Amino acid sequence: MPFAYGQTFKDALAKLKREGRYRVFADLVRRRGSYPNADHHQASGTRPITVWCSNDYLCMGQHPAVLAAMHEALESTGAGSGGTRNISGTTHYHVQLEAELADLHGKEAGLTFTSGFVSNDATLSTLAKLLPGCIFFSDEMNHASMIEGMRRSGAEKRVFRHSDMAHLEELLRAADPQAPKIIAFESVFSMEGDFGKIGEMCDLAEKYNALTYLDEVHGVGLYGPRGGGVAERDGVMHRVDIIEGTLAKAFGVMGGYITGDAALIDCIRSYAPGFIFSTSLPPAVAAGALASVRHLKASNVERQGLQVRAARLKRLAKEAGLPIMNSPSHIVPIIVGDAALCKAVSDELLFRDGVYVQPINFPTVPRGTERLRVTPTPLHTDAMMDELIVALDRVWTALRIRRAA
């Protein structure tokens, strides 16, 4: 009998649906000038909603300076970049952006990629190939893009318990002292909302002669006096060897990047297939990111506004008895604990209350910890927050979900 390709695919999808893990995309159109309001397109028509799960944390995707820069670049250069960075795809916007990002993190050089996933995957997989016998030491909660990059490198990987410095040191002590080592971790773990122990990681890296690789994607723009991230806030940015970030969250556009010593960055530029063979960011995107980075270096208004909004939402959720995780960052995770139930909560909020917050299920988070990941912004008003809490309280009661102890 011939292999049943079609049935195999259908069975794989049916498995996801049975487990409540099948992803359904919300068809949205954000409203310029009134975000976080948006329009939700459905078969029955369009209805207004409020977005509560965007990574555009500071609403810079709506900022006049960013939009103006993108319009100017689009009108002066056209739509696409025209090729890879090596073949006509390097514009002056890219050169300026990389210099601005290097300055943001106090490093010699920067390099942009088409996404944060690609920057992690390409950099980590290439680094290990440049360092024969390299061993990765990876926090167990690291993002999938970091895990994929380490896997593709073919290098040995040793996983330490989340932010457990004693376990990390145990693994480092047991490793070959002569082997190249890279400690990979994040500044803000996006599903838990907690901070990485950057200074302590650097202490161990110095003690055991390891490089440090910091994913700052949920920290850049949001923390530090110039938006350099949690490492800048904590005064340890200069101790980190490689800082990776994104242009798609606090900066409101798209793309990823790394910063570090000039020779290291030049090696990634020269050896990483994920960089070499990818068409570069469109000039308008690079221009918008450049304007956003420059603005947030000089302005603390957006950062302060976000922290005020996040603190208020956490307080309201606790008062309502909702089981929010103890997150010290701007991220507000609310535990549901079951994949099918988590999707049911999200659907009920969206279709009845006009509240959009996406369910987060396995494999993004461990089974049994399924959650709603709520991300307030400076533009979420008190009225919007009050409406969200009322809707969550109603759904929790209607579906008989466990509340906070």
Side-chain angles (χ1 to χ4, degrees), residues 53-341:
C53 54
S54 173
N55 286 333
D56 188 359
Y57 294 129
L58 300 179
C59 303
M60 291 302 293
Q62 302 281 314
H63 196 280
V66 175
L67 300 182
M70 296 185 75
H71 278 295
E72 188 278 331
L74 184 64
E75 293 299 326
S76 62
T77 70
S81 65
T84 65
R85 289 292 297 276
N86 187 53
I87 305 176
S88 81
T90 295
T91 72
H92 192 52
Y93 295 111
H94 295 86
V95 174
Q96 288 180 298
L97 176 58
E98 287 170 345
E100 202 74 38
L101 291 166
D103 175 77
L104 176 66
H105 294 294
K107 303 301 182 187
E108 292 179 348
L111 191 68
T112 55
F113 297 79
T114 51
S115 74
F117 190 106
V118 174
S119 57
N120 272 334
D121 181 23
T123 302
L124 289 168
S125 62
T126 302
L127 272 176
K129 290 174 182 175
L130 291 168
L131 300 169
C134 176
I135 304 171
F136 283 111
F137 297 83
S138 175
D139 190 292
E140 67 177 343
M141 300 298 286
N142 277 342
H143 190 264
S145 58
M146 301 172 77
I147 295 168
E148 181 65 13
M150 289 181 267
R151 185 194 66 79
R152 288 203 314 108
S153 75
E156 183 179 349
K157 182 180 73 169
R158 300 180 185 178
V159 179
F160 58 92
R161 291 185 292 271
H162 179 48
S163 290
D164 187 333
M165 297 300 98
H167 189 213
L168 172 58
E169 182 161 23
E170 178 185 328
L171 295 176
L172 287 165
R173 190 185 302 117
D176 179 357
Q178 301 304 313
K181 303 171 184 67
I182 300 173
I183 303 173
F185 55 101
E186 300 184 35
S187 67
V188 181
F189 290 87
S190 64
M191 292 302 141
E192 311 295 311
D194 60 332
F195 295 117
K197 298 177 180 179
I198 303 172
E200 294 178 53
M201 298 281 187
C202 292
D203 291 340
L204 290 175
E206 291 166 7
K207 183 176 180 179
Y208 292 94
N209 191 30
L211 289 175
T212 45
Y213 184 97
L214 172 61
D215 178 316
E216 274 270 26
V217 297
H218 294 276
V220 290
L222 301 169
Y223 299 93
R226 297 199 310 158
V230 179
E232 184 190 30
R233 183 200 68 179
D234 293 351
V236 294
M237 194 164 61
H238 62 289
R239 300 179 63 194
V240 180
D241 295 300
I242 306 154
I243 296 179
E244 183 267 349
T246 184
L247 305 168
K249 293 180 171 60
F251 295 128
V253 194
M254 71 167 290
Y257 67 88
I258 57 170
T259 63
D261 290 346
L264 186 154
I265 299 300
D266 201 9
C267 274
I268 302 302
R269 183 189 71 87
S270 302
Y271 283 92
F275 174 82
I276 295 169
F277 299 106
S278 289
T279 297
S280 65
L281 292 171
V285 171
L290 177 61
S292 186
V293 172
R294 285 176 172 170
H295 175 84
L296 289 174
K297 277 183 177 179
S299 173
N300 274 309
V301 172
E302 293 82 5
R303 283 187 282 277
Q304 291 168 353
L306 173 63
Q307 295 304 324
V308 169
R309 298 286 81 199
R312 184 178 192 271
L313 182 60
K314 289 176 186 178
R315 177 176 59 79
L316 292 176
K318 287 178 181 177
E319 289 172 356
L322 296 169
I324 71 168
M325 297 181 69
N326 186 25
S327 159
S329 72
H330 57 284
I331 295 167
V332 186
I334 305 176
I335 295 294
V336 177
D338 175 84
L341 190 56

